[in-house]
Amino acid sequence: MQVEKTLEALLRDAPQGVAPIITAIAAACVEIERLTSLGGLAGSLGASLGQNADGDTQKELDVRAQELMMVAMRQSGVAAIASEELEDWELCDAKGTFAVAFDPLDGSSNIDTNMSIGTIFSILPAKGSDNPFTQPGHAQIAAGFAVYGPQTLLVLTFGKGTDVLTLDPRDGVWRVTRNHVQITGNSTEYAVNASNYRHWDRAVRAYVDDCVSGVEGPREKNFNMRWIGSLVAEAFRILTRGGVFLYPGDVRQGYREGRLRLLYEAHPIAFVIEQAGGRASNGHGRILDMVPKSIHQRVPLFFGSAEKVERLERLHNDPQIGSETSPLFGRRGLFRA
Ligand code: AHG
Ligand code: MN
Ligand code: MN
């Protein structure tokens, strides 16, 4: 009978000082999952309370998850925090050596629909009383996300690969169920909100056109599409069976840099994906090389199997695609390899 490693055992290999923070975050995720699973029994978790700092509709569960994460931050002596649900970053424990950026509840539009939602976190070295959230993504010490779905999962990396833990409902223990995940290259699945097609740039339209063209098109194979509206659910699916995720910038007001935030969504997801052998890009270069200019800065996000993301980068960097669509480089992508 296989005996799975517990989170406690896994964290013995974590960088010095990180284990208490991840342990506290994992405990907060258990509380958030409990609240999520109550659904309508916990009142109106999906009710809109107003807008958050980034102009998103703030739901009751966003606020409750934020409160639970703040308890975890205080309990584990974090030096500074940034959150999707806070206007600006905050100093916490002056003796702390790590800073944490988090999205306490990702996928809020799905709260009332019983779809998988989650929590995303990124752990960085603190910078004394200076703002620690202007470091490149590759400065992260650890990152991960929880998925509250049919299973309660914790996906985690501290730079030595990406592991998946499952919360055992029989005893409340997190157990490693997948070690050193590697993203497969042979998937024909892409995830994008296709209702935004008319707002995209030519490179993204060309990529999706080629998928939609199927076997008669330049990719010479048929594709499948998924869009859940929860970044954590899409990311876990891609870790499980490959594929690519696209949230491009588009011409809508406020969406020029897309919808996802660099600090507490793209950076942690990119760390997890790269540690699983995948790639995460803003369409031109590596997400982990980007330095946030502000806490809620948005970024176009493409991640998944390395080969698929590299194709998207080639399209974005191809001067022909950026120009007026010519017959040879039209929507059919006649000469696109
Ligand atoms: P959040 O609920 O934290 O704002 O995140 C929602 C994000 C992400 O989870 C998802 O991929 C994306 O928004 C969905 O965006 P659309 O509703 O525009 O498709
Ligand atoms: Mn989110
Ligand atoms: Mn959120």
Side-chain angles (χ1 to χ4, degrees), residues 285-318:
R286 198 170 167 242
I287 288 285
L288 291 184
D289 291 336
M290 292 184 72
V291 175
K293 296 184 186 65
S294 65
I295 299 292
H296 302 295
Q297 175 186 338
R298 296 187 179 201
V299 64
L301 179 61
F302 306 93
F303 69 84
S305 312
E307 172 265 329
K308 294 174 173 56
V309 177
E310 284 156 1
R311 177 185 293 271
L312 272 156
E313 288 180 333
R314 283 198 304 275
L315 287 167
H316 275 98
N317 296 327
D318 179 340

Coordinates of all heavy atoms in Angstrom, one line a residue, residues 285-318:
G285 N 7.9 37.5 -24.4 CA 9.0 37.0 -23.5 C 8.5 36.4 -22.2 O 7.3 36.4 -22.0
R286 N 9.4 36.0 -21.4 CA 9.2 35.2 -20.2 C 8.5 36.0 -19.2 O 9.0 37.1 -18.8 CB 10.5 34.7 -19.8 CG 10.5 33.5 -18.8 CD 12.0 33.0 -18.6 NE 12.1 32.1 -17.5 CZ 12.9 32.3 -16.4 NH1 13.6 33.4 -16.4 NH2 12.9 31.5 -15.5
I287 N 7.4 35.5 -18.6 CA 6.7 36.2 -17.5 C 7.6 36.4 -16.3 O 7.6 37.4 -15.7 CB 5.4 35.4 -17.1 CG1 4.3 35.5 -18.2 CG2 4.9 35.8 -15.7 CD1 3.6 36.8 -18.2
L288 N 8.4 35.4 -16.0 CA 9.3 35.4 -14.8 C 10.4 36.4 -15.0 O 11.1 36.7 -13.9 CB 9.9 34.0 -14.5 CG 8.8 33.0 -14.0 CD1 9.5 31.7 -13.6 CD2 8.0 33.5 -12.9
D289 N 10.6 37.0 -16.1 CA 11.6 38.0 -16.3 C 11.0 39.4 -16.1 O 11.7 40.4 -16.0 CB 12.3 38.0 -17.7 CG 13.2 36.8 -17.8 OD1 13.6 36.2 -16.8 OD2 13.4 36.3 -18.9
M290 N 9.7 39.5 -15.9 CA 9.0 40.8 -15.8 C 9.1 41.3 -14.4 O 8.9 40.5 -13.4 CB 7.6 40.6 -16.3 CG 7.4 40.4 -17.7 SD 5.7 40.4 -18.2 CE 5.3 42.1 -18.1
V291 N 9.2 42.6 -14.2 CA 9.2 43.3 -12.9 C 8.0 44.1 -12.8 O 7.7 45.0 -13.6 CB 10.5 44.2 -12.8 CG1 10.4 45.0 -11.4 CG2 11.7 43.4 -12.8
P292 N 7.1 43.8 -11.8 CA 5.9 44.6 -11.7 C 6.2 46.1 -11.4 O 7.0 46.4 -10.6 CB 5.2 44.0 -10.5 CG 5.8 42.6 -10.3 CD 7.2 42.8 -10.8
K293 N 5.4 47.0 -12.2 CA 5.6 48.4 -11.9 C 4.6 48.9 -10.8 O 4.7 49.9 -10.2 CB 5.3 49.2 -13.2 CG 6.4 48.9 -14.3 CD 6.1 49.8 -15.6 CE 7.0 49.4 -16.7 NZ 6.7 48.0 -17.2
S294 N 3.5 48.1 -10.7 CA 2.5 48.4 -9.6 C 1.9 47.1 -9.2 O 2.0 46.1 -9.9 CB 1.4 49.3 -10.2 OG 0.7 48.6 -11.2
I295 N 1.3 47.1 -8.0 CA 0.7 45.9 -7.4 C -0.3 45.2 -8.3 O -0.3 44.0 -8.4 CB 0.0 46.3 -6.1 CG1 1.0 46.9 -5.1 CG2 -0.7 45.1 -5.4 CD1 2.1 46.0 -4.6
H296 N -1.2 46.0 -9.0 CA -2.3 45.4 -9.7 C -2.0 45.5 -11.2 O -3.0 45.3 -12.0 CB -3.6 46.1 -9.4 CG -3.9 46.0 -7.9 ND1 -4.2 44.8 -7.2 CD2 -4.0 47.0 -6.9 CE1 -4.4 45.0 -5.9 NE2 -4.3 46.3 -5.7
Q297 N -0.8 45.6 -11.6 CA -0.4 45.7 -13.0 C -0.9 44.4 -13.7 O -0.7 43.3 -13.3 CB 1.1 45.8 -13.2 CG 1.6 45.7 -14.7 CD 3.1 45.6 -14.8 OE1 3.8 46.0 -13.9 NE2 3.6 45.2 -15.9
R298 N -1.6 44.6 -14.9 CA -2.1 43.5 -15.7 C -1.0 43.1 -16.7 O -0.1 43.8 -17.0 CB -3.4 43.9 -16.4 CG -4.5 44.2 -15.4 CD -5.8 44.4 -16.1 NE -6.9 44.6 -15.1 CZ -8.2 44.5 -15.4 NH1 -8.5 44.1 -16.6 NH2 -9.1 44.7 -14.5
V299 N -1.2 41.8 -17.2 CA -0.2 41.4 -18.2 C -0.9 40.3 -19.1 O -1.7 39.5 -18.6 CB 1.0 40.7 -17.5 CG1 0.7 39.5 -16.7 CG2 2.1 40.4 -18.6
P300 N -0.7 40.4 -20.4 CA -1.2 39.3 -21.3 C -0.5 38.0 -20.8 O 0.7 38.0 -20.5 CB -0.8 39.7 -22.7 CG -0.5 41.2 -22.6 CD 0.0 41.4 -21.2
L301 N -1.3 36.9 -20.7 CA -0.7 35.7 -20.2 C -1.0 34.5 -21.1 O -2.2 34.2 -21.5 CB -1.3 35.4 -18.8 CG -0.8 34.1 -18.1 CD1 0.7 34.1 -17.9 CD2 -1.5 33.9 -16.8
F302 N 0.1 33.8 -21.5 CA 0.0 32.6 -22.3 C 0.9 31.6 -21.6 O 2.1 31.8 -21.4 CB 0.6 32.9 -23.8 CG -0.1 34.1 -24.5 CD1 0.5 35.4 -24.4 CD2 -1.2 33.9 -25.2 CE1 -0.1 36.5 -25.0 CE2 -1.8 35.0 -25.8 CZ -1.2 36.3 -25.7
F303 N 0.3 30.4 -21.3 CA 1.1 29.4 -20.6 C 0.7 28.0 -21.0 O -0.5 27.8 -21.4 CB 1.2 29.6 -19.1 CG -0.1 29.3 -18.4 CD1 -0.5 28.0 -18.1 CD2 -1.0 30.4 -18.1 CE1 -1.7 27.7 -17.4 CE2 -2.2 30.1 -17.4 CZ -2.6 28.8 -17.1
G304 N 1.6 27.1 -20.8 CA 1.2 25.7 -21.0 C 2.4 24.9 -21.6 O 3.6 25.2 -21.3
S305 N 2.1 24.0 -22.5 CA 3.2 23.2 -23.2 C 4.1 24.2 -23.9 O 3.7 25.1 -24.6 CB 2.6 22.3 -24.2 OG 1.5 21.6 -23.7
A306 N 5.4 24.0 -23.7 CA 6.4 25.0 -24.2 C 6.3 25.2 -25.7 O 6.3 26.3 -26.2 CB 7.8 24.4 -23.9
E307 N 6.1 24.1 -26.5 CA 6.0 24.2 -27.9 C 4.8 25.1 -28.3 O 5.0 26.0 -29.2 CB 5.9 22.8 -28.5 CG 5.6 22.7 -30.0 CD 4.1 22.6 -30.3 OE1 3.3 22.0 -29.5 OE2 3.6 23.2 -31.3
K308 N 3.7 25.0 -27.7 CA 2.5 25.8 -28.0 C 2.8 27.3 -27.7 O 2.4 28.2 -28.5 CB 1.3 25.3 -27.3 CG 0.9 23.9 -27.8 CD -0.2 23.3 -27.0 CE -0.7 22.0 -27.6 NZ 0.4 21.0 -27.7
V309 N 3.4 27.6 -26.5 CA 3.6 29.0 -26.2 C 4.7 29.6 -27.1 O 4.6 30.7 -27.5 CB 4.1 29.0 -24.7 CG1 4.4 30.5 -24.3 CG2 3.0 28.5 -23.8
E310 N 5.7 28.8 -27.5 CA 6.7 29.3 -28.4 C 6.1 29.6 -29.8 O 6.4 30.6 -30.4 CB 7.8 28.2 -28.6 CG 8.8 28.2 -27.4 CD 9.5 26.8 -27.3 OE1 9.2 26.0 -28.1 OE2 10.2 26.7 -26.3
R311 N 5.1 28.9 -30.2 CA 4.4 29.2 -31.5 C 3.7 30.6 -31.3 O 3.7 31.4 -32.2 CB 3.4 28.1 -31.8 CG 2.5 28.4 -33.0 CD 1.5 27.3 -33.2 NE 2.1 26.0 -33.5 CZ 2.3 25.6 -34.8 NH1 2.1 26.4 -35.8 NH2 2.9 24.4 -35.0
L312 N 3.0 30.8 -30.2 CA 2.4 32.1 -30.0 C 3.4 33.2 -30.0 O 3.2 34.3 -30.5 CB 1.6 32.1 -28.6 CG 0.2 31.5 -28.7 CD1 -0.2 31.0 -27.3 CD2 -0.7 32.6 -29.2
E313 N 4.6 33.0 -29.4 CA 5.6 34.0 -29.4 C 6.1 34.3 -30.8 O 6.3 35.5 -31.2 CB 6.8 33.6 -28.5 CG 6.4 33.7 -27.0 CD 7.6 33.3 -26.1 OE1 8.5 32.5 -26.6 OE2 7.6 33.7 -24.9
R314 N 6.2 33.2 -31.6 CA 6.7 33.5 -33.0 C 5.7 34.3 -33.8 O 6.0 35.2 -34.5 CB 6.9 32.1 -33.7 CG 8.1 31.4 -33.4 CD 8.5 30.3 -34.4 NE 7.4 29.4 -34.6 CZ 7.2 28.3 -33.8 NH1 8.0 28.1 -32.8 NH2 6.2 27.4 -34.1
L315 N 4.4 34.0 -33.5 CA 3.3 34.8 -34.2 C 3.4 36.3 -33.8 O 3.3 37.2 -34.6 CB 2.0 34.2 -33.9 CG 1.7 32.9 -34.6 CD1 0.4 32.2 -34.0 CD2 1.5 33.1 -36.1
H316 N 3.6 36.5 -32.4 CA 3.6 37.9 -31.9 C 4.8 38.6 -32.5 O 4.8 39.8 -32.7 CB 3.6 37.9 -30.4 CG 2.3 37.8 -29.8 ND1 1.7 36.6 -29.4 CD2 1.3 38.8 -29.6 CE1 0.5 36.9 -28.9 NE2 0.2 38.1 -29.0
N317 N 5.9 37.9 -32.7 CA 7.2 38.5 -33.1 C 7.4 38.6 -34.6 O 8.4 39.1 -35.1 CB 8.4 37.8 -32.4 CG 8.3 37.9 -30.9 OD1 7.9 38.9 -30.4 ND2 8.8 36.9 -30.2
D318 N 6.4 38.0 -35.3 CA 6.5 38.0 -36.8 C 5.9 39.3 -37.4 O 4.8 39.6 -37.3 CB 5.6 36.8 -37.3 CG 5.6 36.7 -38.8 OD1 6.0 37.7 -39.5 OD2 5.3 35.6 -39.4

